[in-house]
Amino acid sequence: MAPRKKLLEGFDLHESVVMPNPSLQMEKQMIISRQYGGPYTIDELEENYDYSGTCDCTPFKFFIFLLIVAGIIVGILFSTHTLGPGFTTRGSADASNGGVGNDDFFFSTNGGFGGNGGNGGNGGNGAFSTSAPIAPDGLIDSQPNPSPIEQQKENCLNSVCVSPSCACNGKTSPPKNLNSSEIPQFVMLTFDDGLTDELDAMYTEIFTGARKNPNGCPIRSTFYVSHRFTNYYDVQKLYRARHEIASHTISHDHSGQWEKELVGQREILRNFARIPTDQMPGFRAPFLEPGGEEQWVTMARNGFKYDSTLIELNNNDPMFPYTFEYRKTTHCQIEPCPQQYSYPGIWEMPITQWNSHLNGVTDYGMADEYDPTSESDALAYFRYNFNRHFLTNRAPFNFYVHGEWVLRTPGVLNALKTFIDELLNRPEVYFVTQAQAIEWMKHPQTLANIGALDALKCNSVVPGPALCKKADRNSCVYTDPVTGNPITMVTCAECPPEFPWLGNTAGEVV
């Protein structure tokens, strides 16, 4: 439709309608105006627009036009298999070929992100959603369902709040009344921030494939990835090796834009590391500074299944993971914590403070707040804090660090490799992702029955496109929105026109 023009000289629109009741004249004129594609509000009508450059659009003709456009769109969708034979649902996907079990078709507000879906499924504990191609390289994206947000519940009772959907805050005994001596000791090794080539080389040295858990599967880790300086080819490579990838915000700053930061980074990881959205259930806030209700509402609305931000006050026995169905009763170390609503189905992987091995008093949030003086000092530090978990209640051991600390601090990398090798000699120890640890919390098993937990297996198909050849990577050069300097983004996907950033996670021209 051509733009509307101002009234031509000598033409008076108001003379074209004669109404016996002046109070209805403008309403009648509006009816005629809309039939001719003119102004649609009285304010616009009073500006006197001309219809000579518009189409003769009666409501009937406009309806026919919409039918034609709709037919064209449907034809395009069928031709690209977005509808028709190529359209699938998570519930109806073939579980033996990387899909999910049929029980996943039914909606559950407490659906999980792992489980029992056969070879490569996301299990039968998730919620129904649809899948459709979003990129020409074959990425099939599955969006997780949102979690409910409810009125705050008080007084969590262990007899009422039980697995698989609930766990009380502050609990220091294993779920299902299991004996701590009979359960596995999980070690959750996590790395924060951007993932560079230099860090990737270090991770390759740590995760050789030869380091395996007692069940024969390679050890795994969780990577909380922020955007700037991240090589998304390296991220995809880690994901294809069964490590967990999670959002750590785009800017890694105190922007306060939780929706854009938290969800936006997950979208960037999907777009450029080519990881299906529902395979990234976790989040950790930068600087371990939570966002209170705004953060948790964002997580619930967008289908995140757990957070790993909240530091728990040091006590004699470490704390087990818990859910936010009931009010958090332990002290909020860094404000603001969620206190206004209940968030059933969202878990917290608490940050148990590390102790100094030198005096047993000094506490640390992240393990890398301490600077070891030597390799032997770092190893003693690691052993001391592991024993606080292993020799007490065997709550999952949080080994949370920044990759740069391991890489740059003399002696730490060698100490870490020695520490891992020592622990792998123990039949009770499993190095797992945080998502795997939560699956055990939901379906706890003793060591004798640990083989029944599908989340710890490694024979399933990893969802998402295969990693491209290294020679086929794209190195995309942009201007850093923070410094103004050149910045490179490496990915198997096509280079977008602009550097992906807050509010523009696809890197489109704006």
Side-chain angles (χ1 to χ4, degrees):
M1 181 183 295
R4 293 172 290 190
K5 301 178 182 177
K6 286 291 185 179
L7 196 65
L8 293 175
E9 186 177 354
F11 180 80
D12 188 353
L13 176 64
H14 295 283
E15 292 181 357
S16 64
V17 176
V18 178
M19 294 288 291
N21 185 345
S23 66
L24 299 177
Q25 181 169 333
M26 189 62 74
E27 284 75 7
K28 176 65 175 180
Q29 192 64 59
M30 182 58 63
I31 295 173
I32 297 174
S33 170
R34 289 175 176 173
Q35 289 178 341
Y36 282 84
Y40 273 60
T41 68
I42 290 178
D43 289 340
E44 280 187 321
L45 186 64
E46 290 176 339
E47 295 181 11
N48 297 333
Y49 284 90
D50 174 30
Y51 307 103
S52 60
T54 63
C55 66
D56 186 13
C57 297
T58 65
F60 177 74
K61 291 180 180 178
F62 185 64
F63 176 70
I64 296 299
F65 171 74
L66 288 179
L67 287 179
I68 294 172
V69 172
I72 294 173
I73 292 174
V74 171
I76 293 173
L77 292 176
F78 269 98
S79 68
T80 58
H81 303 292
T82 301
L83 294 177
F87 183 76
T88 62
T89 66
R90 287 179 59 197
S92 61
D94 181 3
S96 66
N97 293 310
V100 291
N102 286 334
D103 53 346
D104 196 49
F105 183 86
F106 297 97
F107 180 79
S108 168
T109 57
N110 290 318
F113 39 78
N116 308 314
N119 274 341
N122 278 343
N125 301 317
F128 170 79
S129 71
T130 59
S131 305
I134 66 164
D137 59 14
L139 172 61
I140 304 295
D141 191 35
S142 294
Q143 291 285 336
N145 277 291
S147 298
I149 302 172
E150 301 176 351
Q151 293 295 321
Q152 182 67 258
K153 297 179 182 178
E154 303 281 351
N155 304 322
C156 185
L157 299 176
N158 290 327
S159 59
V160 177
C161 179
V162 296
S163 59
S165 61
C166 190
C168 290
N169 166 236
K171 193 173 180 180
T172 57
S173 58
K176 293 286 188 180
N177 296 318
L178 295 177
N179 191 311
S180 60
S181 63
E182 297 176 335
I183 65 173
Q185 175 63 71
F186 291 126
V187 178
M188 302 176 299
L189 184 59
T190 75
F191 299 92
D192 287 15
D193 296 352
L195 205 163
T196 63
D197 282 341
E198 198 172 10
L199 286 173
D200 177 67
M202 181 188 75
Y203 297 140
T204 301
E205 191 175 338
I206 295 172
F207 303 104
T208 62
R211 292 189 168 101
K212 296 182 178 182
N213 286 318
N215 66 351
C217 292
I219 64 173
R220 302 188 197 177
S221 180
T222 298
F223 294 83
Y224 288 96
V225 181
S226 53
H227 179 45
R228 291 174 65 232
F229 311 113
T230 286
N231 182 319
Y232 288 95
Y233 170 86
D234 292 339
V235 174
Q236 187 180 2
K237 182 171 65 173
L238 286 168
Y239 167 72
R240 300 301 305 175
R242 302 182 184 277
H243 297 287
E244 181 186 13
I245 307 299
S247 172
H248 194 44
T249 75
I250 293 176
S251 69
H252 199 281
D253 201 358
H254 303 87
S255 73
Q257 303 179 74
W258 288 101
E259 188 87 19
K260 290 184 177 180
E261 292 275 17
L262 195 159
V263 182
Q265 178 58 12
R266 187 176 67 178
E267 291 176 351
I268 290 176
L269 287 162
R270 177 199 64 194
N271 294 340
F272 302 105
R274 308 193 297 177
I275 303 172
T277 303
D278 65 353
Q279 299 300 306
M280 298 179 283
F283 173 74
R284 176 176 290 160
F287 316 109
L288 303 184
E289 296 179 0
E293 241 62 45
E294 188 173 357
Q295 176 190 333
W296 266 261
V297 167
T298 297
M299 291 174 60
R301 287 177 174 173
N302 291 278
F304 284 86
K305 302 306 179 187
Y306 76 85
D307 170 76
S308 183
T309 299
L310 303 184
I311 299 175
E312 294 295 343
L313 186 65
N314 192 15
N315 50 27
N316 292 329
D317 292 339
M319 190 183 301
F320 280 82
Y322 57 89
T323 63
F324 289 96
E325 186 159 350
Y326 289 85
R327 182 180 180 88
K328 174 179 165 62
T329 56
T330 56
H331 178 68
C332 182
Q333 292 284 82
I334 301 179
E335 297 282 357
C337 294
Q339 294 289 345
Q340 185 175 355
Y341 301 108
S342 291
Y343 304 94
I346 296 183
W347 289 76
E348 179 65 27
M349 300 300 294
I351 298 179
T352 299
Q353 292 178 308
W354 277 41
N355 290 158
S356 168
H357 60 298
L358 301 176
N359 57 30
V361 176
T362 305
D363 296 328
Y364 306 102
M366 299 285 281
D368 54 16
E369 292 177 19
Y370 174 69
D371 288 325
T373 57
S374 64
E375 180 178 334
S376 59
D377 184 45
L379 189 56
Y381 178 53
F382 299 161
R383 289 168 174 165
Y384 179 86
N385 283 280
F386 169 79
N387 285 331
R388 286 190 58 232
H389 291 249
F390 184 70
L391 299 179
T392 56
N393 59 6
R394 294 192 186 175
F397 176 47
N398 51 288
F399 196 117
Y400 303 160
V401 295
H402 296 79
E404 287 288 337
W405 178 76
V406 179
L407 182 65
R408 308 292 179 197
T409 308
V412 168
L413 177 57
N414 286 335
L416 176 57
K417 291 187 291 184
T418 300
F419 178 66
I420 293 173
D421 292 337
E422 285 182 356
L423 296 190
L424 290 179
N425 287 322
R426 298 176 179 266
E428 309 93 340
V429 174
Y430 283 74
F431 282 81
V432 299
T433 68
Q434 299 211 287
Q436 288 177 305
I438 290 177
E439 281 302 304
W440 181 86
M441 286 294 301
K442 294 167 70 174
H443 308 283
Q445 303 288 340
T446 63
L447 273 169
N449 297 321
I450 199 67
L453 188 62
D454 284 353
L456 296 188
K457 297 178 181 179
C458 52
N459 59 351
S460 62
V461 175
V462 178
L467 186 69
C468 66
K469 295 180 180 179
K470 194 169 184 178
D472 294 334
R473 299 178 303 172
N474 291 311
S475 294
C476 318
V477 181
Y478 307 97
T479 298
D480 188 338
V482 177
T483 66
N485 297 324
I487 189 168
T488 301
M489 183 181 77
V490 180
T491 173
C492 288
E494 294 295 325
C495 291
E498 303 288 344
F499 185 64
W501 197 242
L502 294 168
N504 185 19
T505 57
E508 299 172 334
V509 176
V510 294

